[in-house]
Amino acid sequence: MERRIFTYALDFYLKRLGIIVVFSVPFILAFLIPVLVPAPTYLALGGVFLRTGSIPELSIIDIIITAFAYGIAVFLIADTIVNINLVVRSKRTLTTIKYEVVQAVGSYAMRIFYIYTMVLLLMFIAQLLTYENSLQIWIYPLFTFVLSFLLFFVPPAVVIDNSDTPTAIRRSVAMALKNPQTIFLWILFSLVSLSILKVFSDVIFSNPFSGYFVLLINSLLLLPFLTVLQTQMYMEKYPLAR
């Protein structure tokens, strides 16, 4: 089954590559915004991460600016994921993509934005609670993994099924517990792909250009495909989608 899902996702991705890449451009801005604000961030494997240990060094103004910047970045990510999901859904429902993209800004994107913001806050709280704790190296990654695992299918639950926020969370948890193997395979493929991209980039470019090249390719090509693959995994619960 997993091989069929991957094949279908890849075929769909290649056929709609043009419009998917266009819709994925905001990913670049979303990942660059945290880098441009006065926050202790760093690039790694095509993503932007926050150094929690450096937060006490920030002023109140820096914290407000950083929180605002991360809010914009999260909304851009949510909106981009919604648009890619709409491209996938349009093939099955024969709806007009242009009209739905406009409508989704005020509905689907905000629902996913709320959930992603909640996730980030929970992860941030977990980091603070385990700060300088010898067990943080185990507790925080485990907490982050469990939270991400259970909410993995939130975006397609919102867009494909038009679920409200609580329902999207319930459906994502149910789907994740029912098909954990698909999520593990998605994670494995993501890690292998990003690692290969990173090695390739390091051979061609030197720092810091290598990190930005990975960020660019990840934003425009790899992450959009992973989003398509994620949505197709979710749609497997519909017999007509197989």
Side-chain angles (χ1 to χ4, degrees):
M1 180 182 71
E2 286 74 17
R3 181 177 180 180
R4 176 172 52 79
I5 296 174
F6 184 89
T7 301
Y8 180 88
L10 181 61
D11 180 67
F12 178 88
Y13 171 79
L14 293 176
K15 288 181 179 178
R16 304 296 195 284
L17 183 59
I19 190 171
I20 289 176
V21 169
V22 171
F23 281 156
S24 301
V25 170
F27 269 144
I28 302 175
L29 183 59
F31 289 128
L32 284 179
I33 287 177
V35 178
L36 300 177
V37 298
T41 57
Y42 61 97
L43 286 172
L45 286 178
V48 181
F49 301 89
L50 180 67
R51 292 187 177 92
T52 310
S54 301
I55 291 179
E57 302 174 6
L58 299 177
S59 66
I60 298 298
I61 298 299
D62 290 338
I63 293 175
I64 293 174
I65 294 175
T66 300
F68 181 73
Y70 267 81
I72 295 176
V74 171
F75 180 81
L76 287 173
I77 291 173
D79 188 50
T80 304
I81 291 175
V82 166
N83 292 341
I84 294 175
N85 271 269
L86 287 173
V87 175
V88 178
R89 197 179 85 172
S90 66
K91 183 177 184 296
R92 181 164 61 90
T93 60
L94 301 178
T95 52
T96 304
I97 295 177
K98 183 177 179 180
Y99 174 77
E100 287 210 10
V101 168
V102 175
Q103 296 297 313
V105 172
S107 55
Y108 301 143
M110 286 306 299
R111 296 176 205 172
I112 296 176
F113 170 75
Y114 292 147
I115 297 173
Y116 279 5
T117 301
M118 177 192 70
V119 169
L120 287 176
L121 288 175
L122 289 174
M123 291 169 61
F124 179 67
I125 292 172
Q127 279 187 307
L128 292 180
L129 292 177
T130 58
Y131 184 62
E132 293 188 342
N133 188 312
S134 59
L135 296 178
Q136 185 190 52
I137 191 174
W138 301 104
I139 296 175
Y140 178 71
L142 180 61
F143 174 79
T144 301
F145 173 78
V146 172
L147 191 62
S148 302
F149 177 86
L150 294 176
L151 301 181
F152 179 80
F153 289 110
V154 159
V158 169
V159 181
I160 302 301
D161 288 335
N162 192 23
S163 304
D164 56 30
T165 300
T167 303
I169 293 175
R170 288 197 299 268
R171 285 177 171 171
S172 178
V173 171
M175 191 75 176
L177 295 178
K178 182 179 179 181
N179 300 286
Q181 72 283 357
T182 60
I183 300 179
F184 285 120
L185 288 175
W186 188 94
I187 294 172
L188 179 62
F189 176 79
S190 303
L191 291 176
V192 171
S193 300
L194 280 171
S195 299
I196 293 175
L197 178 59
K198 177 60 176 174
V199 171
F200 176 78
S201 178
D202 288 342
V203 171
I204 299 179
F205 302 100
S206 59
N207 285 323
F209 301 104
S210 174
Y212 284 103
F213 176 78
V214 174
L215 178 65
L216 178 66
I217 300 302
N218 182 41
S219 299
L220 292 180
L221 297 177
L222 181 56
L223 188 54
F225 172 72
L226 292 173
T227 303
V228 172
L229 181 60
Q230 176 191 50
T231 305
Q232 181 54 33
M233 288 176 175
Y234 181 82
M235 291 176 63
E236 278 295 300
K237 68 177 188 174
Y238 295 109
L240 294 179
R242 299 177 182 177

